[in-house]
Every structure is written in structure tokens, then in C-alpha cells.
């Protein structure tokens, strides 16, 4: 249980408290999943203190659907996923794109050998 962070509600993006009013913590695989989710829902350079964190959606969003190649979309999403150093490889990645949003559904293998899977829309 070395990999610990504070739990952030995936819907509200607020910190979560337990019954005693303490911050809820998550560990190991749950931390990795949360980190990947946040890298994918955050636009690159959105956070003023770290302009490298996030996904480079400016490369693809807001453009005509016919002007963006699906391989470019997948590359942008892959770069976001691999910001988490505990992700060893991506086993499968499906993306949908409508010009305004990207939805990525993927399965990844962690360096621990465990798999994670999720769907994220940004």
C-alpha cells in the first residue's frame, strides 16, 4: 500500500470525506485508476502549476470530424494514459469522436501485472 492519494469524486471532482470528517484515501490500483482518469479529463496545461499534465485535446477537439484521423485521436489518448508511470501497456483502445467530445474505452496492463479498464469522456 505504498501508492496512496486522496479520493476525488469522479462526478463532482471534489475531495471525499469519511464519516468522521477525514479525507478518504485510496491505495494502489485505485490510485492508478484515478490518476489515469484525471490525466484524460484534464486538458494539457489546464492546471497552472503543471503545464505538462493532462491530455493534448487541442490537437483534435474543435476540428471538423473529417479533418482528424482516428490514429491521431488514439495517439492523443495514449499519451494521456501513459502519463501514469504504472501503466506498462495498453491492451485495447476504442475511441469515438464527434468533433466536440472524445470517449475512450480501454484496458491497460500495469507494471504489477494487474489490468485496469475504464471509459472516459472528455
Amino acid at each position: 500500500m505504498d501508492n496512496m492519494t486522496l479520493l476525488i469524486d469522479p462526478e463532482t471532482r471534489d475531495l471525499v470525506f469519511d464519516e468522521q470528517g477525514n479525507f478518504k484515501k485510496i491505495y494502489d490500483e485505485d490510485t492508478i485508476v484515478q490518476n489515469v482518469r484525471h490525466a484524460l479529463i484534464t486538458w494539457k496545461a489546464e492546471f497552472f502549476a503543471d503545464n505538462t499534465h493532462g491530455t493534448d485535446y487541442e490537437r483534435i477537439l474543435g476540428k471538423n470530424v473529417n479533418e482528424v484521423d482516428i490514429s491521431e485521436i488514439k495517439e492523443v489518448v495514449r499519451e494521456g494514459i501513459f502519463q501514469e508511470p504504472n501503466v506498462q501497456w495498453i491492451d485495447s483502445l476504442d475511441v469515438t469522436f464527434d468533433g466536440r467530445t472524445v470517449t475512450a474505452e480501454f484496458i491497460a496492463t500495469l507494471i504489477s501485472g494487474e489490468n485496469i479498464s475504464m471509459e472516459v469522456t472528455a
Side-chain angles (χ1 to χ4, degrees), residues 40 74 77 81 90-96 102-108 116-121:
L40 290 175
K74 286 185 174 185
V77 171
I81 293 169
I90 299 169
D91 301 289
S92 66
L93 173 62
D94 294 311
V95 296
T96 56
V102 173
T103 299
E105 187 174 345
F106 65 92
I107 299 171
I116 61 170
S117 64
M118 70 177 75
E119 180 179 316
V120 177
T121 299

Side-chain angles (χ1 to χ4, degrees), residues 5 24 26-28 33 37 40 46 48 70 73 80 92 112:
T5 193
K24 276 193 168 182
I26 54 176
Y27 300 88
D28 301 324
V33 168
R37 178 178 311 283
L40 290 175
E46 176 181 334
F48 72 93
I70 195 72
I73 299 166
S92 66
S112 68

